[in-house]
Amino acid sequence: MLARIHTFSLVGIEALPVVAEVDVSGAAIPKTILVGLPEAAVRESTHRIARAMVNSGFVRPQDRVVINLAPAELPKQAASFDLPIALGVLAGSGQIASERLSEYAVVGELALDGTMRPVKGVLSMAMAAARIKGVCGLVVPKDNAPEAAVIEGLEVIAVDSLTQAVGFFGGNIDIEPEPCRVRELFDEHGSYEVDFADVRGQEMAKRAITIAAAGGHNLLMLGPPGSGKTMLAKRVPTILPQLTPEESVETTRIYSAVGRLKAGEPLMARRPFRSPHHTISNAGLVGGGSTPAPGEISLAHNGVL
């Protein structure tokens, strides 16, 4: 029996659509085959998924299981495929029968006891899910739900275990979509811990910073250690205009992709301030690496570097 589930693969800060195809067919010897350019974290997922299913009260199929992550030429390198693969195996073995599987995209990492763990890049995945025709929502771990709910017009279903996800797709339980709280998040997290008004003296430097902030210019500060350069620089974001919702989403998806969002702050409402050490490498500053990742320049997007 064949099952198909929509999910996503994170490449840089972009989430690309992936279809997890699971085929369960009778065989003399149980065997699980995973194809579609899976990296180490994805190849190891078959062991996590098998124990998570058993520990959640489901039956691990004693058959031949072939899992294909399409498109095959796209490398897959995150643990976010655990939940869609597990649901695909259960659907392919006849333990789930649901039309909802084609209506929702799914992401999430499983623990051995079947509970959900948060994943990176959920905001980019929610943006991609909103563009897929025929998909009305996204099923995510509970800790990621406020972040995904930033995207309006998308049903975000928060689950905290494999059992709850199966209950939702099987129609046994109904889960209310996570509400969109963009304005509340701006009100809650939009204030800064420091303020430009704290600075006493430094009139020439403050005037230069005000002009640079108003025009979006670069600024060079020279002086001995302890003269106040970093102290002034940290307060530059406080005199810049408040982030717009569009700018906030742009910046948040960068931090989400590298797993740097603060706990309890699913949306960045303050302009970022990045102060890398002068010995930073080119890849650390510009971005890149064997697994491409944003650098300090990207992390300072819409803020101050």
Side-chain angles (χ1 to χ4, degrees):
M1 187 173 176
L2 179 64
R4 293 186 178 90
I5 297 178
H6 293 283
T7 184
F8 303 95
S9 179
L10 199 64
V11 180
I13 65 169
E14 293 291 334
L16 302 181
V18 171
V19 177
E21 301 176 327
V22 182
D23 181 77
V24 181
S25 57
I29 300 176
K31 188 174 184 180
T32 300
I33 302 171
L34 180 60
V35 296
L37 278 187
E39 300 292 340
V42 184
R43 289 197 303 270
E44 293 172 352
S45 67
T46 55
H47 305 292
R48 289 194 301 272
I49 291 166
R51 299 318 306 166
M53 286 194 300
V54 173
N55 291 331
S56 298
F58 302 104
V59 178
R60 177 187 177 186
Q62 300 299 309
D63 296 306
R64 180 185 179 91
V65 180
V66 179
I67 304 164
N68 178 40
L69 302 175
E73 70 273 7
L74 178 68
K76 323 297 188 309
Q77 55 186 2
S80 60
F81 297 102
D82 287 6
L83 183 57
I85 291 175
L87 292 172
V89 171
L90 293 174
S93 59
Q95 298 180 65
I96 304 177
S98 174
E99 296 180 355
R100 285 180 171 177
L101 287 174
S102 62
E103 299 174 355
Y104 290 85
V106 182
V107 294
E109 179 183 347
L110 287 171
L112 294 182
D113 60 355
T115 56
M116 302 300 305
R117 288 180 173 148
V119 297
K120 299 178 182 178
V122 165
L123 180 55
S124 295
M125 296 176 185
M127 295 171 68
R131 295 192 294 264
I132 298 180
K133 187 177 181 181
V135 171
C136 65
L138 179 67
V139 177
V140 299
K142 194 169 186 176
D143 291 343
N144 290 129
E147 178 186 340
V150 168
I151 305 303
E152 296 182 358
L154 182 72
E155 288 186 26
V156 176
I157 305 299
V159 295
D160 53 21
S161 66
L162 175 60
T163 304
Q164 190 176 22
V166 171
F168 171 75
F169 281 105
N172 298 321
I173 60 174
D174 289 323
I175 301 176
E176 287 295 321
E178 188 78 10
C180 182
R181 300 173 49 242
V182 173
R183 181 44 54 192
E184 294 178 29
L185 291 172
F186 267 87
D187 294 339
E188 185 177 350
H189 302 292
S191 59
Y192 293 87
E193 297 176 358
V194 296
D195 197 315
F196 198 71
D198 297 337
V199 182
R200 296 291 181 265
Q202 302 277 17
E203 298 304 326
M204 183 178 295
K206 287 196 290 186
R207 176 166 171 75
I209 287 175
T210 303
I211 294 171
H217 306 302
N218 294 326
L219 184 67
L220 175 64
M221 289 188 285
L222 300 175
S227 59
K229 301 185 298 298
T230 303
M231 181 268 294
L232 285 163
K234 283 183 177 179
R235 286 160 172 77
V236 174
T238 68
I239 61 172
L240 294 172
Q242 188 181 35
L243 279 173
T244 65
E246 293 76 16
E247 289 176 333
S248 179
V249 168
E250 285 180 359
T251 307
T252 302
R253 67 188 300 216
I254 296 172
Y255 279 74
S256 174
V258 296
R260 294 200 181 188
L261 280 181
K262 295 180 181 179
E265 191 173 336
L267 184 69
M268 293 187 65
R270 296 184 294 266
R271 294 188 181 273
F273 172 78
R274 304 298 302 178
S275 180
H277 195 263
H278 64 86
T279 60
I280 190 172
S281 65
N282 291 337
L285 182 64
V286 180
S290 57
T291 301
E296 289 292 335
I297 294 175
S298 298
L299 293 173
H301 184 56
N302 289 321
V304 175
L305 175 65

